[in-house]
Amino acid sequence: MTDKKPIIVIGAGAAGLCAADALVEAGYDAVIFEASDHLGGRVRSLEGFADVPIELGAEEIHGPDNAVAAAARALGMETVHHVTMDDVLRLDGELLALDQAQADPDVRRAFDVIDSLGDYRGENWTAEEFLVRSHFPRRAWHYLDSRLGVEHGTTLDRLAMRGFATYQRGWEARETNYTLKGRYLDLFQPMIKRLEGRIRLNTPVAAIEWNDAPRVRLQNAGEHPAAAIIVTVPLTILRERLLHFSPQLPPEKVAAADSIGMDTGMKIILKFKHRFWDDGMYFLHTDGFLPQFWTAAKGKSDTAHVLTAFVGGTRAETLDNMSVDPVRFAIEELDEVFGAKIASRSFERGLIADWGADPWIRGLYSYPTPQTTEAVREALARPLAGKIFFAGEATNTLGASGTVHGAMDTGWRAAAEVRAALE
Ligand SMILES: Cc1cc2nc3c(=O)[nH]c(=O)nc-3n(C[C@H](O)[C@H](O)[C@H](O)COP(=O)(O)OP(=O)(O)OC[C@H]3O[C@@H](n4cnc5c(N)ncnc54)[C@H](O)[C@@H]3O)c2cc1C
């Protein structure tokens, strides 16, 4: 047991909630300080836009054997199963169901690239460099932009080939991807209930002191001593030095944070009066500037016609720099893909979830750059002096960084580390 000082958890996303819940469950006094005005962090469900909840952040469950899938089953939450062959690919200006498109040799080559990523032991190249060097055909390139670049929250010029091997172990769910019929955030309701009275919203932590007795300094004034501190803030907050440490973080921790990628990006969510795409479509992989859209209400509602575009990396930066209205831009892209201004004519409402602009998130999720070795993730996760502990998706060393289940696992891992240190 601890003395009277609580364990302070910074951040009320998936990792912070799991960490605090596990500690309270084990009889410890834990509190969460959350900078924003809401719980869940990058899990954020929106009501009222359509007749089903729309996810602004995490949306899919990657695989049946992880913490998120288990929580959904325990709560009896219904899921929708998505398979690759439900996708539509634009090739040479034509929209093809993927089972049709796979007859094309260049598309088959793209499938082969994806299938062999887990075994990649080659040079430490970016995915783009690898494709250029292997003379991968341009006409099918956009399928990989979508399936690899967009999926990892960035673009192929930043994503590392070697990083894929780790991801294939902890992330790639192949034909076992699901969405929830209800709100993603509801997965955390039992924890949120158990933590009632222990979570302080609108409470940004400005600094952590850890030379002697650990304590946090709040941005709005006030200092709080702690028995231990668990830091679960997004990677960008560490990378941009927005959380001050005294003494400073050791150089290997700073280098680790700087070696992992996390880019700006957004979801562009569009609601239409009519469906103008094939009924069965889930992902639409286009050859436009926005490589990926999907049917966000598929399997949930027959009346909500919603397409979400997802963009990160250099594409999201270009979009930001062009100062265009992303909603208008996405509609124009769809007009180009489907023709006859059908998207413009059917458009009803749009919104953007700009995660790069969120002051406490500042991006999408972490991904491997050529500098991101497994040792780098381990250095990011390593506790400091048995007092300061690190969780959050970017600290996942089991290949599940960038996911909700991966973030949850790090929260439980950090709670166990705190217990071991305090006992
Ligand atoms: C658009 C998008 C789509 C995604 N899609 C999927 C998906 O389909 N499937 C999937 O598994 N994952 C997906 N993810 C990734 C997933 O959402 C994250 O990996 C996971 O939610 C991260 O949880 P976390 O606890 O590590 O961090 P967060 O949820 O970011 O929590 C960290 C918290 O720290 C708070 N904070 C920051 N600074 C401070 C401070 N100084 N003081 C106090 N609090 C602070 C933040 O406000 C935040 O609430 C997606 C993410 C995004 C953005």
Side-chain angles (χ1 to χ4, degrees):
M1 290 294 121
T2 64
D3 56 17
K4 288 216 169 52
K5 289 179 278 193
I7 297 155
I8 294 179
V9 178
I10 307 177
L17 290 169
C18 288
D21 188 51
L23 288 166
V24 170
E25 165 89 19
Y28 289 82
D29 181 14
V31 292
I32 303 184
F33 290 163
E34 164 57 47
S36 74
D37 61 1
H38 56 270
L39 297 169
R42 281 170 273 174
V43 174
R44 198 153 189 204
S45 311
L46 175 73
E47 303 273 11
F49 181 80
D51 59 11
V52 286
I54 294 294
E55 299 302 337
L56 302 178
E59 188 155 344
E60 287 195 322
I61 302 175
H62 300 292
D65 303 316
N66 59 51
V68 175
R73 273 195 299 274
L75 293 170
M77 288 177 77
E78 275 188 89
T79 54
V80 183
H81 183 205
H82 301 287
V83 292
T84 309
M85 289 305 154
D86 289 343
D87 295 357
V88 169
L89 173 68
R90 191 168 195 243
L91 194 66
D92 304 331
E94 239 189 296
L95 287 172
L96 301 174
L98 212 58
D99 55 356
Q100 244 183 307
Q102 66 176 341
D104 183 282
D106 292 342
V107 176
R108 268 210 313 279
R109 220 175 128 185
F111 281 12
D112 290 343
V113 169
I114 294 168
D115 287 345
S116 57
L117 285 172
D119 302 320
Y120 184 81
R121 300 283 181 274
E123 294 292 326
N124 193 14
W125 290 324
T126 63
E128 181 178 80
E129 190 174 352
F130 168 79
L131 295 177
V132 170
R133 284 176 179 273
S134 38
H135 303 284
F136 187 84
R138 281 309 309 190
R139 63 190 277 276
W141 190 287
H142 58 285
Y143 182 60
L144 295 177
D145 271 335
S146 173
R147 282 286 307 274
L148 304 180
V150 176
E151 205 57 25
H152 287 84
T154 183
T155 35
L156 298 178
D157 55 328
R158 295 191 174 164
L159 202 50
M161 285 300 289
R162 282 211 189 142
F164 281 119
T166 326
Y167 276 90
Q168 296 294 106
R169 293 200 293 275
W171 209 95
E172 171 60 55
R174 300 204 174 247
E175 297 304 329
T176 54
N177 283 301
Y178 309 86
T179 48
L180 286 163
K181 285 199 176 178
R183 301 181 335 147
Y184 211 113
L185 190 61
D186 285 347
L187 290 171
F188 294 94
Q189 286 311 341
M191 278 183 207
I192 292 170
K193 199 147 184 269
R194 286 195 291 271
L195 291 170
E196 213 176 306
R198 293 179 176 276
I199 307 177
R200 285 179 54 178
L201 299 176
N202 301 305
T203 309
V205 173
I208 294 175
E209 282 164 26
W210 59 284
N211 53 347
D212 189 11
R215 58 181 58 238
V216 302
R217 195 155 34 78
L218 301 182
Q219 207 176 71
N220 317 332
E223 281 198 353
H224 295 264
I229 298 169
I230 302 182
V231 180
T232 79
V233 300
L235 175 72
T236 41
I237 301 288
L238 297 177
R239 242 175 33 186
E240 294 172 33
R241 322 284 189 254
L242 295 172
L243 192 54
H244 184 78
F245 285 82
S246 174
Q248 286 182 359
L249 286 176
E252 59 274 16
K253 181 81 79 183
V254 174
D258 291 345
S259 304
I260 304 173
M262 179 164 162
D263 291 349
T264 191
M266 66 179 81
K267 277 185 174 178
I268 308 167
I269 304 170
L270 310 166
K271 187 177 171 201
F272 297 95
K273 294 183 208 106
H274 317 285
R275 176 173 58 75
F276 50 85
W277 52 88
D278 276 353
D279 194 14
M281 181 178 97
Y282 184 49
F283 280 111
L284 167 65
H285 310 283
T286 85
D287 48 2
F289 184 77
L290 302 173
Q292 188 182 95
F293 291 79
W294 66 86
T295 49
K298 187 178 175 202
K300 305 180 191 181
S301 160
D302 294 329
T303 47
H305 308 304
V306 181
L307 288 180
T308 297
F310 190 30
V311 59
T314 47
R315 279 200 173 77
E317 288 160 19
T318 304
L319 211 55
D320 279 346
N321 292 338
M322 287 193 307
S323 332
V324 291
D325 169 12
V327 168
R328 197 60 254 155
F329 186 81
I331 299 281
E332 284 163 10
E333 292 258 304
L334 289 170
D335 277 344
E336 167 65 25
V337 169
F338 288 93
K341 293 228 170 287
I342 196 163
S344 295
R345 286 190 284 116
S346 179
F347 178 61
E348 194 179 318
R349 280 175 81 181
L351 66 84
I352 55 172
D354 186 350
W355 289 92
D358 182 314
W360 304 112
I361 306 289
R362 295 174 174 260
L364 293 172
Y365 40 89
S366 70
Y367 66 84
T369 69
Q371 288 72 44
T372 316
T373 58
E374 288 180 35
V376 155
R377 298 260 185 203
E378 278 158 22
L380 191 70
R382 199 168 299 133
L384 297 176
K387 295 172 188 166
I388 314 295
F389 299 81
F390 291 84
E393 58 86 7
T395 70
N396 188 295
T397 53
L398 305 171
S401 52
T403 68
V404 177
H405 64 270
M408 292 173 78
D409 288 344
T410 66
W412 289 319
R413 187 252 304 137
E417 287 168 350
V418 168
R419 288 182 63 183
L422 295 182
E423 281 160 17

